[in-house]
Amino acid sequence: MRLADKVLFVTGAAGGIGRAAAKVCAGYGAKIIAVDMDLAGAESCAEEIKAAGGEAIAVQANTADRSQVAAAVQAGIQAFGKINCLFNNAGICRSSLLIDCEDDVLDKIYQVNIKGAYIVASELAKHMKERGEGRIISTSSISALKEESTNGFYCMSKAAVLMMTHVMAMELSKYGVTAVAVCPGHINTPLLRNSFIQRGAAEGKTVEEYYAEMEGTIPMGRLAEPEEVGELVAFLCDDRSAYINGNGILVAGGKVME
């Protein structure tokens, strides 16, 4: 991938898919703004990138707080002069039967997965629109396309991210700004393990039983590693993918085929 002229703003960069994508893209030459509530985790990500010869800074921000996001954007611009790619990735998962989900859990999912994703995308879109070019990549999920028992509010939140991507592509393409979503399936991250613990418990199964059950639903027969999603993010940052716009791309081992 050709990312030497790319400056990538990554949310949820402390771990999981966000950290992996930041490191993969940095390996292809992108400069990285690693953003997370967990500053130590973001700093660790940035230090690993720099140790490998790349360029990166770490910024702490709550993605659901517009003033903090705006400050993080400005920190990135001050460091690198521009931001022309966004990996809008920060998210959480809290699993239970739909009718048993408590209101405070729903509020938290909304704050991070919907409001936070929107605030980050909208703040970066303003900068990109002014520059006349940019790429907004948001993490949706296979859960936006396929209903999942004990994971209803997560499904709903990721469907919202996918629809946001559709609308942003319609509204921003004429300004040189495109939007696309990645829709991961079962990726080997701590977030997935915590989800499987919760979902297994809701169905009376151990986490080991739930892993085996979920792996059995994937035609390739295995979970993905977060770096495999990172490679897709790198391709979507590359100008050669510029005509991919307004849709979601599954990274799910064939579990859902559309």
Side-chain angles (χ1 to χ4, degrees), residues 166-190:
H166 297 331
V167 175
M168 283 192 163
M170 291 182 66
E171 295 181 348
L172 296 172
S173 293
K174 62 184 176 182
Y175 302 108
V177 181
T178 56
V180 66
V182 295
C183 299
H186 299 317
I187 314 299
N188 187 21
T189 64

Side-chain angles (χ1 to χ4, degrees), residues 59-180:
V59 185
Q60 185 177 44
N62 176 356
T63 57
D65 184 318
R66 190 175 292 275
S67 64
Q68 291 186 34
V69 173
V73 171
Q74 288 306 308
I77 294 169
Q78 183 174 357
F80 299 123
K82 65 181 180 180
I83 302 172
N84 51 10
C85 293
L86 163 65
F87 185 34
N88 189 19
N89 169 72
I92 62 170
C93 184
R94 302 287 187 272
S95 300
S96 70
L97 292 170
L98 191 63
I99 61 171
D100 293 335
C101 186
E102 297 178 357
D103 290 347
D104 61 337
V105 174
L106 173 58
D107 290 342
K108 184 65 174 178
I109 293 172
Y110 167 80
Q111 286 290 320
V112 179
N113 292 10
I114 301 178
K115 183 180 179 182
Y118 164 71
I119 287 175
V120 172
S122 61
E123 284 297 311
L124 267 298
K126 293 171 188 175
H127 171 69
M128 293 174 180
K129 180 180 175 182
E130 186 175 301
R131 286 181 47 81
E133 58 106 12
R135 184 68 143 169
I136 296 169
I137 304 162
S138 296
T139 300
S140 179
S141 174
I142 189 175
S143 306
L145 303 169
K146 180 177 175 58
E147 66 283 353
E148 294 181 338
S149 175
T150 70
N151 213 27
F153 283 119
Y154 183 78
C155 295
M156 292 157 63
S157 70
K158 289 304 184 178
V161 171
L162 186 57
M163 183 54 68
M164 179 187 75
T165 297
H166 297 331
V167 175
M168 283 192 163
M170 291 182 66
E171 295 181 348
L172 296 172
S173 293
K174 62 184 176 182
Y175 302 108
V177 181
T178 56
V180 66

